[in-house]
Amino acid sequence: MAETVLETSGLTMTFGGVTACDAVDFKLKARELRCLIGPNGAGKSTFFKCLTGLLKPTSGAVFMQGEETTNWHTHEISSLGVGIKTQVASVLDGVTVHENIWLAARRFFSSSIAETKAKETIERLYLGDIAKSNVGQLAHGERQRVELGIVAAGDPWLVLLDEPAAGMTSEDVDRMTEIIREMTTTAAVIIVEHDMQFIRSIATDVTVFHQGGILLEGNVEQVMSDETVRNVYLGKKA
Amino acid sequence: MREITLQRFTLSIIIAAALMLFLPVIMNTFVLTPLLIYGMLGMSLGLIWGFGGILCFGQAAFFGLGAYAYAISAINIGESTIPMLIAVMVPAIFAAVLGAMMFYGRLGDVYLGVITLVVTLIFFKFMNSTAGPDYVIGTARLGGFNGIPGFQTLNIPGLPDDYIYGDSLYYVTFVLLVVAYWLVNWLLQSPFGRVAVAIRENEQRVSLMGYDIRARKTILFAIGGAIAGLAGALFANWAEIVTPGLFSLSQTAEIIIWCIVGGLGTRLGPILGAAGLAYLKFLLGQQAFIDNTIIMGLILVLFVLFLPKGLIPAIESVWKLSVGKRRRCHPSRRRKGRAITNG
Ligand SMILES: Nc1ncnc2c1ncn2[C@@H]1O[C@H](COP(=O)(O)OP(=O)(O)OP(=O)(O)O)[C@@H](O)[C@H]1O
Ligand SMILES: [Mg+2]
């Protein structure tokens, strides 16, 4: 049995009167692939931000590989080997694609190994043609892929992807599916997505967020056919 | 890659040496030396602002602190070698402490500007108010608005009677500026410098990569303080007096203008901006028709409106345009050649 690498207990985040995360108990095993779904405003991005220290949770605790990381600084959590792709692409606009990925790798490796890692990652993510371009000039889908490269370059054991397929062409999505599959050989991955097609293609376990809490967890088909889930989420869409 | 940088290094040393020997032919070294010193001061802000994204309104504080630290320790110690080191260390440590308070306190950019400005003003006010006989450090009287005159100026290390002044001070300043410039270049190419630029681009992403931005910004800020302090010490040696005016608001504003006009985010821009504008100010100071602050203001406005990226980027793009035009005739040939070899 794989061990639990990520666990939250009673994780709560309130903004004034809004409770964006409401006592979330969540568990993830090593190399597990989990999709997080839920209507807009359900608190998925807030949950990610609490995990990575971008937000300090109001209450509750986060454990990574058995160690409590609640209230740690973002850079300390990232240094453990946690990579996150934020909902709005967070990249370094003024420098090249290569520099973006090299810097991500350099945190964990020496300069020369980081160079090798960067080259590998650029190849793996089909960024070769634009490696020398400034990220600020790139199209939306390319920026998303650069950010994925930044996440992958540090060989993380936990990967959080917030709507990675948003605004991508189907060709891009296919590539991404392949890359994410590759990632799961070494890392546990959580993906926030609205695209059901995409979720089905990755076919995995799903956690449904609703009003800051976990509504349901289970196999993708089982979750999709669930009455309550249809009501709060799919019902709106279909 | 390495060969190219070595080439560039050698080339720039040759250019610098030629410039160093040529400039005194057309200009008095007494005028040149402060231009170089201002160049160094401009470079210190250019480093932390242009590459680290830290807009400091108090670079004059480190400059003044360096000058005062030199003057005070030179009076107490005599021989100038240790006072020069102290003049670099004091502003560096002060910047490190101030920086740590600001960056670990997660202050926003606006507060950072306000705090650095206020610190400069406090120094200005304080130094102005130290006229009384009670304000003494060792044997050095701070002297209030009259400043501190009559300290031991730069001497050949170990030989306190062999002063470095006039032309020799110019050469020493030039060499120190070139050395500092190359150290800054080296820093910017190192992983530390590359991460600093990344922090300028996107702090959140750099944190998410796992880098501690607070520590890195503090270190960069201290390096900027050290360079400004060295400039201050050299200035004290050139002027042979230090006064509270070093901490003045106009001094701190000028450094910012030098960077904007020269080109923020370039290595040479702030140096050339500083030297150029300081020279212009010197020329304007020799006539009484137009107030030079008006001209300075006008230049800043014109640059912000028409060359917002500054002089060096403008020259670069003109250069690229002309080179690009010349190259445009070649590629067709080159491409054909490649097609043939490939086919
Ligand atoms: N910084 C903030 N300040 C105040 N309220 C916030 C803040 N961030 C998020 N919220 C609120 O918290 C709730 C959850 O937002 P969150 O972005 O986590 O939702 P989400 O599930 O990611 O939605 P989406 O699918 O649209 O991305 C929303 O009601 C949002 O308005
Ligand atoms: Mg979201």
Side-chain angles (χ1 to χ4, degrees):
Chain A
M1 266 319 279
E3 85 276 32
T4 301
V5 289
L6 171 69
E7 184 173 358
T8 71
S9 71
L11 196 68
T12 304
M13 183 76 221
T14 55
F15 299 105
V18 184
T19 305
C21 272
D22 195 359
V24 175
D25 296 324
F26 182 89
K27 266 187 189 177
L28 191 74
K29 290 196 161 58
R31 291 179 299 284
E32 187 179 343
L33 175 57
R34 183 81 65 89
C35 279
L36 213 60
I37 65 169
N40 293 114
K44 307 177 296 290
S45 298
T46 306
F47 179 61
F48 272 13
K49 285 178 188 162
C50 288
L51 296 181
T52 50
L54 291 174
L55 288 172
K56 300 268 171 270
T58 317
S59 63
V62 181
F63 299 89
M64 294 198 175
Q65 294 185 322
E67 193 169 7
E68 179 163 3
T69 59
T70 327
N71 294 324
W72 279 25
H73 287 291
T74 299
H75 68 92
E76 293 167 333
I77 295 170
S78 309
S79 297
L80 292 176
V82 179
I84 179 173
K85 196 206 121 359
T86 51
Q87 187 164 354
V88 180
S90 178
V91 285
L92 312 171
D93 276 337
V95 297
T96 63
V97 170
H98 175 274
E99 187 74 358
N100 268 267
I101 294 171
W102 182 85
L103 283 163
R106 180 63 179 76
R107 177 64 190 85
F108 299 96
F109 307 102
S110 70
S111 286
S112 56
I113 297 180
E115 188 59 47
T116 320
K117 283 273 170 199
K119 284 218 178 84
E120 271 172 28
T121 310
I122 284 169
E123 209 164 292
R124 226 168 95 198
L125 285 133
Y126 309 97
L127 291 165
D129 294 342
I130 50 170
K132 292 202 169 86
S133 311
N134 271 10
V135 176
Q137 305 164 345
L138 300 181
H140 176 76
E142 291 170 327
R143 290 163 64 83
Q144 299 262 66
R145 239 185 308 144
V146 172
E147 203 183 14
L148 208 58
I150 291 172
V151 170
D155 283 350
W157 53 264
L158 174 63
V159 175
L160 310 173
L161 304 173
D162 201 342
E163 307 201 14
M168 278 196 165
T169 62
S170 63
E171 191 192 349
D172 278 336
V173 172
D174 288 347
R175 279 177 179 175
M176 174 135 53
T177 312
E178 186 190 318
I179 291 158
I180 291 170
R181 283 237 174 79
E182 244 177 75
M183 277 179 168
T184 53
T185 58
T186 53
V189 182
I190 311 178
I191 307 173
V192 167
E193 255 308 331
H194 288 291
D195 184 343
M196 286 304 152
Q197 201 92 42
F198 178 70
I199 293 167
R200 278 211 173 85
S201 79
I202 289 202
T204 162
D205 293 329
V206 174
T207 297
V208 186
F209 257 57
H210 181 50
Q211 293 178 350
I214 293 176
L215 183 72
L216 187 70
E217 264 175 349
N219 178 272
V220 61
E221 292 310 326
Q222 178 194 333
V223 166
M224 302 269 183
S225 55
D226 186 273
E227 196 74 22
T228 11
V229 174
R230 286 182 162 276
N231 283 343
V232 303
Y233 188 59
L234 305 172
K236 261 205 304 198
K237 279 206 146 184
Chain B
M1 276 289 276
R2 197 166 282 163
E3 229 169 311
I4 292 168
T5 43
L6 193 69
Q7 261 178 24
R8 272 185 54 188
F9 181 75
T10 324
L11 189 68
S12 70
I13 294 292
I14 292 170
I15 291 173
L19 206 63
M20 177 174 79
L21 297 173
F22 172 70
L23 283 175
V25 176
I26 53 165
M27 246 192 265
N28 190 334
T29 53
F30 187 74
V31 178
L32 279 171
T33 306
L35 301 185
L36 301 176
I37 293 171
Y38 289 143
M40 190 183 286
L41 181 55
M43 183 173 75
S44 74
L45 183 64
L47 170 66
I48 64 166
W49 185 18
F51 293 97
I54 306 166
L55 175 49
C56 169
F57 281 100
Q59 207 63 14
F62 308 130
F63 181 63
L65 209 54
Y68 268 88
Y70 177 80
I72 293 165
S73 49
I75 285 178
N76 283 294
I77 296 170
E79 208 273 335
S80 69
T81 311
I82 291 172
M84 283 302 282
L85 293 176
I86 290 176
V88 175
M89 292 308 291
V90 168
I93 291 167
F94 180 73
V97 172
L98 183 68
M101 270 160 40
M102 296 188 303
F103 302 127
Y104 282 81
R106 289 178 170 262
L107 290 186
D109 290 343
V110 177
Y111 291 100
L112 206 139
V114 171
I115 286 178
T116 51
L117 188 64
V118 167
V119 164
T120 314
L121 286 174
I122 290 173
F123 272 115
F124 182 63
K125 283 271 173 208
F126 173 74
M127 284 305 175
N128 263 313
S129 70
T130 56
D134 301 338
Y135 294 100
V136 210
I137 297 178
T139 52
R141 274 188 59 178
L142 293 182
F145 50 83
N146 289 321
I148 309 173
F151 44 83
Q152 165 92 9
T153 55
L154 202 62
N155 55 253
I156 297 173
L159 305 170
D161 293 325
D162 290 338
Y163 293 107
I164 300 172
Y165 67 102
D167 286 355
S168 351
L169 182 61
Y170 161 78
Y171 290 115
V172 167
T173 306
F174 205 112
V175 169
L176 285 175
L177 177 61
V178 171
V179 169
Y181 175 74
W182 272 105
L183 284 179
V184 165
N185 264 294
W186 169 79
L187 183 78
L188 288 172
Q189 276 176 13
S190 73
F192 178 86
R194 289 162 79 171
V195 174
V197 170
I199 293 173
R200 176 193 74 190
E201 289 298 315
N202 185 343
E203 283 191 14
Q204 178 185 287
R205 178 38 85 191
V206 178
S207 292
L208 287 172
M209 284 176 178
Y211 295 102
D212 185 351
I213 57 172
R214 306 162 306 172
R216 283 163 184 275
K217 282 172 106 172
T218 303
I219 293 169
L220 188 70
F221 198 62
I223 293 172
I227 298 171
L230 177 62
L234 289 168
F235 193 85
N237 278 295
W238 171 79
E240 300 188 7
I241 184 170
V242 296
T243 60
L246 295 168
F247 296 106
S248 69
L249 212 60
S250 63
Q251 177 71 74
T252 226
E254 263 175 48
I255 308 172
I256 292 169
I257 296 172
W258 296 337
C259 288
I260 294 172
V261 167
L264 208 56
T266 66
R267 290 150 202 224
L268 268 179
I271 301 176
L272 296 183
L277 288 181
Y279 185 56
L280 189 68
K281 192 177 164 187
F282 165 76
L283 292 179
L284 291 169
Q286 293 186 324
Q287 50 84 46
F289 302 115
I290 329 165
D291 182 41
N292 68 38
T293 48
I294 295 177
I295 304 282
M296 287 293 156
L298 196 66
I299 288 174
L300 177 64
V301 170
L302 288 176
F303 263 88
V304 169
L305 287 178
F306 299 109
L307 288 179
K309 283 185 172 172
L311 205 58
I312 293 288
I315 293 171
E316 262 172 10
S317 54
V318 168
W319 170 259
K320 262 183 205 151
L321 224 70
S322 63
V323 171
K325 260 183 205 151
R326 241 180 290 151
R327 276 213 188 133
R328 215 162 287 159
C329 347
H330 296 297
S332 55
R333 237 185 282 157
R334 220 192 284 149
R335 218 173 289 149
K336 257 183 223 158
R338 205 179 285 161
I340 290 163
T341 47
N342 283 351

